[in-house]
Amino acid sequence: ETVSTTVIKERNGQLVLQLKPNMEYILFPTYKDGFRNPSLGALYAERDKRGKVTGFKVSVSRARNVAFKKTS
């Protein structure tokens, strides 16, 4: 487990993932709720039964489906 904060926000029509104050990555859409970034790998949003985003999972070559849960 890791204790970390990740922020995903919209800026100028693009989704941006912020890991640290000075580390931002543009997320390029690949399919519904799926995104990719060359440095981060694949990311997809998870939703509840009502369609509300509850978190996301990241997959890279050495780790699959690393879960991040939405806290606010």
Side-chain angles (χ1 to χ4, degrees):
E1 288 186 22
T2 178
V3 178
S4 59
T5 301
T6 303
V7 176
I8 297 177
K9 56 188 172 185
E10 183 273 334
R11 182 172 51 208
N12 299 324
Q14 295 182 309
L15 282 183
V16 177
L17 185 139
Q18 183 179 26
L19 292 176
K20 295 180 182 177
N22 297 327
M23 293 179 68
E24 294 187 336
Y25 301 92
I26 296 172
L27 300 176
F28 300 98
T30 54
Y31 55 88
K32 182 180 177 0
D33 292 339
F35 301 88
R36 178 167 277 294
N37 177 280
S39 298
L40 297 176
L43 177 149
Y44 69 91
E46 294 190 302
R47 296 180 181 268
D48 64 15
K49 292 177 183 177
R50 293 173 284 160
K52 196 169 187 182
V53 174
T54 59
F56 65 92
K57 289 188 177 180
V58 175
S59 292
V60 295
S61 61
R62 297 184 342 196
R64 301 267 184 233
N65 297 319
V66 178
F68 293 80
K69 297 296 177 190
K70 185 176 178 182
T71 59
S72 62

